[in-house]
Amino acid sequence: MNASIMPLRAAFLILLSALSSLAQNADPVSTVPSAALVPAPNSPYSIGVQTQAIASGDFNGDGLPDLVVVNGTLSFTLTILLATRDGEFVPAPGNQLSVGEVGSVALAVADFNGDGILDIASLGQLALTIFVGDGQGGFSPTPFSPIDIYALGLFGSDAIGVGDFNGDGNPDLVIVDLDTAGDVLVLLGDGKGNFSPAPGSPTHTGQAAKGVAVADFNMDGHLDVAITYGTANQVGILLGDGMGRLSPDPKGPFPTGDYPLAIVPGDFNGDGKPDLAVVNWSQGTMSVLLGDGTGGFVPGPDTNIAPDYISVESLAVGDMDGDGILDLVLPGGNKSAGLAVLLGDGKGGFEVSASGPLPGMPLALTLADFNGDGRLDVATVDYSEGTVSVYLGAQSAESSLTLTASENPTTSVPVALSVVAHTSGFRAPTGTVTIRDGSNVVATGNLVDGAARFRAQFTAGEHTLVAVYLGDARTTGSASPPLTINVTDVPRRRRR
């Protein structure tokens, strides 16, 4: 056998033995959901020119969330993709819906006509179209569509939210104005697919609005609205009265970073009160606003998400790593950024996942369990490529090890050894790593933030070292490539 193959074969046998022992003692219940994201079969899917918005919902009643995607330039189309159990998507019957020149820049999904089947609200800058579902993945526009939102007082919009603002059990819509007047329009649904302006709507804010989020921020039982004011570097809160009226929160507005855009609500510090996460378009940062449950907010830890994310127009929230703490997923602003997962610490802070961003240039995204395996998945649209990419939550992440040693080791000085564990998952690997010199164990210790350091003494001569990691509940085991060190014997000084 070739001598150069021997260290690799030895490393493989060591890893095989270690992983076999781990498998015999593994507890399958301890597997943590969403340890990594992997491309779904046949992803990405070609949709058409300039895909720019995406939403998810179970459109055919099979228990799996499906996708609706916007694409087009002068004339817009909605494409419906139905999910399958293996993570693939197939076109729905009559899967393309024409929105025409009224355009579509944002989507909302809910049962607008009360038949137990999800419908779609497609928002253009000056018009709103409601498509009612047939329960099989097909849709048709309501007779009164499109709704002229310009005639209702808005001068352009690209953000929409859904919620029951008047407490009648029917989903309503809120649309924000891009114009400097900053009007906010609430449309009340009648449960039959029809909408009409709420009393006193639209509400005048005086600031051009960019993003919208819906939650009960003052915890009075009525839904409220949070809006990003891009040019003012603020988030405004409009409090609902339970009848569809909105009024400015006297405690606001609240400062953010430079040009806030995308915004999502969630309890990020675990106190049971709704908070807000906001992406600041011009800085590549994210502002966290921690709610006090009365409509007030205080700044939480800011998160630097790097300059590549300065054009982020979308943000999604969900527990990606199964630790019971909300995380954030956002698309990057260019191809070097890709799709990033920010892990929550339960105190309102976030950190970029250990795996780093996924490749691509996603513009918008949606989170759901598309293949029904209990783990969150991600679907994104790439504006320039005209595609939809789907990433499935994996049961476990892959690991790899790098082993390094201090140079020019001698028998008189302990060798400094360092192991770094890389992962395709969100969290840095934990657990035990062992360094072997052939069949001898040189050192054993635990990974801390995915790394471990040791000092070991060796006899003179050549030593082939391998680091072995047994894995943890999230991450598979692995072995490092063999590392050869030549230890020099230090001559003793002669006595005089």
Side-chain angles (χ1 to χ4, degrees):
M1 182 178 292
N2 190 321
S4 65
I5 303 298
M6 289 295 290
L8 293 172
R9 183 173 183 273
F12 174 77
L13 293 176
I14 292 171
L15 175 63
L16 185 64
S17 174
L19 294 182
S20 175
S21 174
L22 178 66
Q24 293 174 4
N25 297 292
D27 176 8
V29 179
S30 67
T31 300
V32 180
S34 297
L37 290 171
V38 296
N42 295 321
S43 176
Y45 301 91
S46 180
I47 301 298
V49 295
Q50 297 181 356
T51 50
Q52 54 194 292
I54 188 170
S56 55
D58 182 7
F59 300 134
N60 61 350
D62 64 355
L64 298 177
D66 310 305
L67 295 173
V68 53
V69 185
V70 174
N71 72 281
T73 52
L74 297 177
S75 183
F76 292 80
T77 300
L78 304 188
T79 298
I80 309 298
L81 298 176
L82 301 180
T84 64
R85 290 285 169 186
D86 58 3
E88 292 189 71
F89 285 82
V90 296
N95 82 73
Q96 289 196 330
L97 309 171
S98 176
V99 190
E101 294 183 2
V102 298
S104 181
V105 291
L107 299 166
V109 174
D111 178 11
F112 296 120
N113 63 349
D115 62 356
I117 299 170
L118 286 180
D119 311 309
I120 299 170
S122 174
L123 175 67
Q125 289 197 351
L126 297 174
L128 173 70
T129 305
I130 306 297
F131 293 93
V132 293
D134 63 6
Q136 298 178 345
F139 291 86
S140 58
T142 58
F144 62 88
S145 289
I147 300 171
D148 187 349
I149 61 174
Y150 179 83
L152 297 176
L154 299 194
F155 296 92
S157 179
D158 62 1
I160 187 172
V162 62
D164 182 7
F165 291 102
N166 62 348
D168 64 355
N170 302 318
D172 310 312
L173 296 170
V174 58
I175 303 171
V176 299
D177 198 347
L178 287 169
D179 188 73
T180 54
D183 290 335
V184 178
L185 175 67
V186 174
L187 295 175
L188 300 180
D190 65 358
K192 300 178 182 179
N194 302 314
F195 290 86
S196 58
S201 195
T203 303
H204 180 70
T205 69
Q207 297 285 352
K210 295 298 296 181
V212 62
V214 176
D216 181 7
F217 296 114
N218 62 351
M219 303 182 72
D220 64 352
H222 308 312
L223 285 181
D224 311 310
V225 177
I227 303 166
T228 51
Y229 299 139
T231 56
N233 301 332
Q234 295 174 332
V235 164
I237 305 294
L238 300 177
L239 301 178
D241 67 354
M243 294 182 287
R245 295 184 181 89
L246 299 174
S247 59
D249 182 355
K251 297 183 177 182
F254 304 95
T256 65
D258 195 6
Y259 208 89
L261 195 59
I263 183 171
V264 292
D267 180 10
F268 301 125
N269 61 350
D271 64 356
K273 302 166 186 175
D275 310 311
L276 291 167
V278 183
V279 171
N280 302 309
W281 185 82
S282 296
Q283 289 179 309
T285 61
M286 187 181 69
S287 296
V288 177
L289 301 177
L290 302 178
D292 64 6
T294 68
F297 290 84
V298 296
D302 281 356
T303 299
N304 184 4
I305 53 177
D308 285 340
Y309 289 89
I310 59 173
S311 63
V312 168
E313 298 183 22
S314 183
L315 186 62
V317 59
D319 182 8
M320 297 301 297
D321 59 353
D323 63 356
I325 298 171
L326 290 179
D327 309 309
L328 297 169
V329 185
L330 69 161
N334 58 48
K335 288 188 179 295
S336 66
L339 183 74
V341 176
L342 304 180
L343 299 178
D345 63 6
K347 300 176 183 178
F350 294 86
E351 62 176 350
V352 179
S353 67
S355 60
L358 293 169
M361 189 178 177
L363 177 68
L365 73 159
T366 183
L367 307 183
D369 179 10
F370 297 120
N371 58 352
D373 64 356
R375 294 183 283 269
L376 272 182
D377 312 312
V378 182
T380 70
V381 294
D382 187 315
Y383 179 84
S384 60
E385 298 294 332
T387 58
V388 170
S389 295
V390 179
Y391 298 95
L392 302 178
Q395 181 174 351
S396 59
E398 300 294 328
S399 71
S400 60
L401 300 183
T402 300
L403 173 63
T404 57
S406 55
E407 298 180 356
N408 303 318
T410 66
T411 56
S412 63
V413 179
V415 179
L417 303 171
S418 296
V419 178
V420 177
H422 308 276
T423 178
S424 63
F426 304 144
R427 295 284 184 185
T430 61
T432 303
V433 63
T434 299
I435 299 178
R436 296 175 179 266
D437 180 6
S439 60
N440 298 322
V441 175
V442 173
T444 299
N446 292 324
L447 293 171
V448 178
D449 293 329
R453 293 174 176 81
F454 310 92
R455 296 184 73 83
Q457 200 106 15
F458 294 90
T459 59
E462 184 178 274
H463 298 264
T464 299
L465 308 179
V466 175
V468 178
Y469 171 55
L470 298 184
D472 60 17
R474 303 171 188 269
T475 312
T476 61
S478 61
S480 71
L483 173 68
T484 299
I485 61 173
N486 289 288
V487 179
T488 302
D489 191 7
V490 178
R492 294 180 181 179
R493 295 181 179 180
R494 294 182 180 181
R495 293 182 179 179
R496 293 183 177 178

